[in-house]
Amino acid sequence: MQFNFSRFLLNIEHRDRRFRGLSLACRLLFYGSLASITAILVLRWLIPSLNRGTLLLAFLIPAFLASAAFILGWWKRPDLPRLLLNLDDELKSGARISSLYEERLRGHDSFFRKRLERLVEPLAADWKRGLRLPRHTLRFLSAGLSGILIAGILLFVPLPFPQAASMVAPAQSETSATQGVRSTAPDREGSAASDDTAVALETHEQVPDSSSDPSDEDPLPLSPNEELSLESVLEELSSLSRGQAQVTAPTTSDELLNLANVQDQAKQALSDMLQDLQEQMEGSPRPLTQEESAGIQELAAQTGDSSLEQATRDLTEETDPAEMDEKMQDLIDEMDPSASDPGAVPETNDDTEDGSSQDAPRSTEISGDEEAGQKFLEQTAQRMEEQANAESQQEGQTQQAASQTDQDESKEPGEAGAAEARMAGEPDDLAQVGGEDGLGGNPSDGPQPGDVGFIQEEAPSTIGEEGDFVDEFVTKGVPIEMVPLQNGGSTRFVNFEQMDSILQGRDLPEEAQASIRRYFELITQPEGGS
Amino acid sequence: MISEQDFQAATATFERLRSSIAEVIVGHDAVVRFALISLLCKGNVLFEGVPGLGKTLLVRTLASALGLKFSRIQFTPDLMPADIVGTDILTEEDGQRKFSFAAGPVFANVVLADEINRATPKTQSALLEAMAERTVTVGAKTYTLEEPYIVLATQNPIEMEGTYPLPEAQIDRFLLKAKVSFPSLEALIQITERTTEGRGIQLPEPTATAADILTAREIVRALPIAASLREYVARLVLATHPESEYSPAQVKEYVEYGGSPRAAIALVMGAKAHAFLDGEVNVRREDIEAVFRPALTHRLVLNFRGEAEGISTDTLLDEVWNKTATT
């Protein structure tokens, strides 16, 4: 078979174009995979609700780039003389191939050409070893494939920053609405009960507290004229529900049990600490050190028992050793009566003086006994119900005095009923209306020993002439109107007619419209509480 | 049309020539090769070395092996141009007196210009025309020199007192500049043995004719070189120019002038002749490398800084080669 130099050249050219395309493709595959990883991370960070199709596009960046690069590399014709010289160098053929190419190009039919053809012919059998895929191409290929793998993993695995992302996204688009909704933090700071609850929650569950964000502490006033899309309002509402439910209060029986357990452990630890101190001071009376005082007060704070906190505060301020010893003993007895009487059996009935002191031993028993746990829950719900009734009565009296009308009396049963329902076993409802903020409690009541994780706050405003109005539940886009009052002030209320027209104007499912309407009715109608 | 037989015969002739010279000249194979390359390329060669290294003997041996007319000019400060090219003298013939041309030593096939840098520039320049155009002009008449023609000059690099460095125009006309180094121990032993015993040095019998050399020159010119190697040669030469984009930093710093287009011609032709002497039918990269330094070392003109710092042109050429080879 005669040596065909033209075909030989064609093969060389095709191989070079193929390799150049591959080299470029692998290089861009690598860089594209980096871009893909970055894009996926950034998109998932900034827009957590982004659909998978967009993320898939980001995932396919390297494939697009590599394909385009291969086509580009293949499309560009090589500089054949230089390519042949490189091939000669690789094959150590003494520039014979390129010299023969030159002779043929010039059309010389000389002795040199024939001689060169004879010399080049053996090279044609093994020329491919002189034109190999560059090593860095394989490196880029492996790195690129690894990058794609990582990008694929990032596409599906849950990332550790969804909470942060959910804060970043609204901050960019719907800042005022978000801040208006999340303005419970300052109010909660003023409440000792909420502090206790927050401490307990942080100790026990380590739940990220989004409400502690400094940006939330200064809510922007909501302008009645401001409007946002209904979709964003819905999104805000749902995130609000989730956030409140997670942070502010335990809403399930498990959480109640956990909280009680934490408080019980704090009491036990405080009791042990006081006993140790008492033993230490028997021989050598001395005042408490700063560390000891701080430790005692910290444990007392964790118990969630305000009377216990007050008693420990008195103890730490006491300087007389005898008085101190006596107070210590009182505290120990109060927390654990059996400590002074080792032979006594732990009580299981509500026969102690203070409800709060009953919680600790009971919680301990509950944790190991399902039946006792159910009993504990029932008792807690009962206490809360009583408390809610008392609150609503007190609130009714206050409003009655203010407005000189009898309408508040008709509201009490409904409000109390709602509180009862939420405390006794409707945590989801509680979450939907914004957790404990929906209770509209009296701030003068303060935290009660039985208030396991519930925060009572003063409603920041009122709506209409009767209903409580809570700014936190009204986001941008909600039609609000200002109405002057007879006494010279003004109040706000939600214009339901306008809301209906807004809802009907949007392309929302019927259920969503109904949910939104129900939500605002719930938080604004007098019977539902604020 | 060059046939394979022509090629084989020419390469065989030069192999014989090289062998016969090697029987006389010991330890200077590279220098002999450069002389043959210059002969094949219709060029001239400048040998640089201290006295006593056999430069003159090499040239005499080459001329003897070629069977060509040889002449030797010892350059001295008082040597005049007419002493080289010849002059018109008044002669009497048949009772009539007339001027006739008395040809100088430049009229030969192989001319040895010994210690060329000892003559004044004016006298040195008398060789310019002969070296470049192979003609000599005396008065109003121009004489053509007989081919093959080659000037082989020598110069002493250490004894600079009373010497006149060759002008750039003249030095550029030397195809190659070969450095004649001191012989090795074995070569020195052989030299003493050959010169002190027996009949002493015997110049070789002619092994080639002028026609053989002219045929070989045709073959060398026809030897193919790849276009990419031509481009490579051009880049090499451009890289010796400080203002060129191809030149390395050292060249930009120390070189005043780089190689001329004659340098590129010398590189290509020298590479072809080198390949021919190796029996190759095309120019290789190593052929270019072999003649790169001899073809360019005398063509680089250092600037004041380069001279002051004693920069060697060989160092600069190494830099040029290394940098250009990788691009």
Side-chain angles (χ1 to χ4, degrees), chain A residues 82 89 94-95 99 102 112, chain B residues 223-224 227 231 280 282 284-285:
Chain A
R82 186 166 290 185
D89 287 344
S99 297
E102 187 74 14
F112 297 110
Chain B
L223 214 67
E231 185 196 326
E280 293 290 334
N282 66 295
R284 302 157 299 175
R285 202 188 284 269

Side-chain angles (χ1 to χ4, degrees), chain B residues 6-325:
Chain B
D6 294 336
F7 181 80
Q8 300 287 7
T11 51
T13 300
F14 270 81
E15 180 57 29
R16 282 198 308 274
L17 193 62
R18 192 195 62 74
S19 300
S20 59
I21 295 171
E23 285 175 8
V24 179
I25 304 296
V26 180
H28 292 305
D29 292 343
V31 177
V32 171
R33 176 171 276 249
F34 290 139
L36 295 177
I37 287 172
S38 294
L39 184 66
L40 285 167
C41 297
K42 210 175 171 180
N44 310 287
V45 64
L46 174 65
F47 294 118
E48 186 177 82
V50 295
L53 292 181
K55 298 188 289 291
T56 308
L57 179 64
L58 168 66
V59 178
R60 288 178 69 89
T61 308
L62 179 66
S64 174
L66 290 170
L68 300 173
K69 185 181 174 187
F70 169 76
S71 69
R72 179 178 185 274
I73 309 165
Q74 181 64 49
F75 279 65
T76 56
D78 58 351
L79 189 73
M80 299 302 289
D83 298 335
I84 298 172
V85 297
T87 186
D88 287 327
I89 55 171
L90 190 62
T91 58
E92 189 172 346
E93 193 175 322
D94 299 331
Q96 289 184 336
R97 287 191 287 182
K98 61 176 182 182
F99 282 102
S100 60
F101 180 68
V106 78
F107 287 85
N109 295 111
V110 180
V111 177
L112 171 60
D114 213 1
E115 295 190 279
I116 192 172
N117 56 340
R118 289 201 171 278
T120 59
K122 183 181 178 183
T123 309
Q124 290 171 356
S125 299
L127 272 177
L128 281 177
E129 190 185 355
M131 290 168 68
E133 282 89 34
R134 278 18 185 187
T135 58
V136 172
T137 303
V138 178
K141 195 170 181 184
T142 298
Y143 302 91
T144 303
L145 297 171
E146 189 183 349
E147 287 290 349
Y149 182 84
I150 182 171
V151 174
L152 299 108
T154 69
Q155 69 175 9
N156 183 352
I158 56 171
E159 202 176 318
M160 301 303 289
E161 194 175 345
T163 63
Y164 302 90
L166 291 169
E168 307 306 333
Q170 183 167 15
I171 208 165
D172 193 37
R173 280 166 170 77
F174 287 104
L175 184 85
L176 304 173
K177 176 183 175 183
K179 289 185 178 172
V180 183
S181 55
F182 201 83
S184 64
L185 177 67
E186 293 78 19
L188 199 56
I189 292 169
Q190 278 193 34
I191 288 168
T192 55
E193 185 183 335
R194 288 184 189 186
T195 52
T196 58
E197 292 177 6
R199 292 186 299 167
I201 293 173
Q202 297 291 315
L203 291 177
E205 292 297 315
T207 54
T209 62
D212 291 338
I213 293 165
L214 294 176
T215 304
R217 278 181 177 178
E218 278 183 36
I219 292 170
V220 167
R221 286 184 71 81
L223 214 67
I225 176 170
S228 42
L229 283 181
R230 280 185 198 279
E231 185 196 326
Y232 178 56
V233 166
R235 276 192 280 118
L236 281 172
V237 173
L238 282 175
T240 63
H241 289 255
E243 69 277 6
S244 167
E245 60 179 302
Y246 300 104
S247 57
Q250 277 193 313
V251 169
K252 291 185 189 300
E253 193 172 359
Y254 297 119
V255 174
E256 187 76 36
Y257 299 109
S260 65
R262 276 200 189 97
I265 295 167
L267 261 180
V268 173
M269 286 304 297
K272 284 185 170 189
H274 190 273
F276 169 78
L277 291 176
D278 278 352
E280 293 290 334
V281 290
N282 66 295
V283 175
R284 302 157 299 175
R285 202 188 284 269
E286 47 264 44
D287 297 320
I288 296 170
E289 186 179 9
V291 295
F292 173 67
R293 285 168 193 81
L296 281 161
T297 186
H298 55 294
R299 289 186 164 98
L300 288 193
V301 180
L302 299 182
N303 59 18
F304 177 77
R305 190 171 178 187
E307 295 281 1
E309 294 187 16
I311 299 297
S312 152
T313 53
D314 287 343
T315 308
L316 295 173
L317 289 174
D318 285 344
E319 184 77 1
V320 168
W321 177 262
N322 292 331
K323 288 287 163 61
T324 311

Side-chain angles (χ1 to χ4, degrees), chain A residues 375-485:
Chain A
K375 191 176 179 183
F376 169 75
L377 283 175
E378 288 167 8
Q379 288 168 352
T380 305
Q382 190 179 354
R383 276 201 308 278
M384 289 180 175
E385 182 184 346
E386 290 166 5
Q387 186 185 345
N389 285 331
E391 284 167 8
S392 57
Q393 282 174 5
Q394 192 171 355
E395 187 180 90
Q397 288 166 4
T398 308
Q399 292 193 359
Q400 195 174 23
S403 62
Q404 296 293 320
T405 66
D406 296 329
Q407 292 178 352
D408 288 337
E409 291 176 9
S410 62
K411 182 179 70 174
E412 286 167 14
E415 187 174 0
E420 178 187 353
R422 284 165 200 145
M423 291 191 178
E426 293 179 19
D428 291 338
D429 290 346
L430 183 67
Q432 283 174 5
V433 298
E436 72 285 358
D437 291 342
L439 289 172
N442 191 340
S444 63
D445 289 345
Q448 296 303 313
D451 293 347
V452 187
F454 281 84
I455 302 164
Q456 296 170 356
E457 295 176 352
E458 183 181 10
S461 180
T462 57
I463 185 166
E465 293 185 353
E466 302 124 29
D468 291 338
F469 185 93
V470 183
D471 273 338
E472 291 82 359
F473 302 129
V474 182
T475 62
K476 286 172 77 174
V478 177
I480 297 169
E481 289 184 2
M482 302 293 290
V483 175
L485 293 175

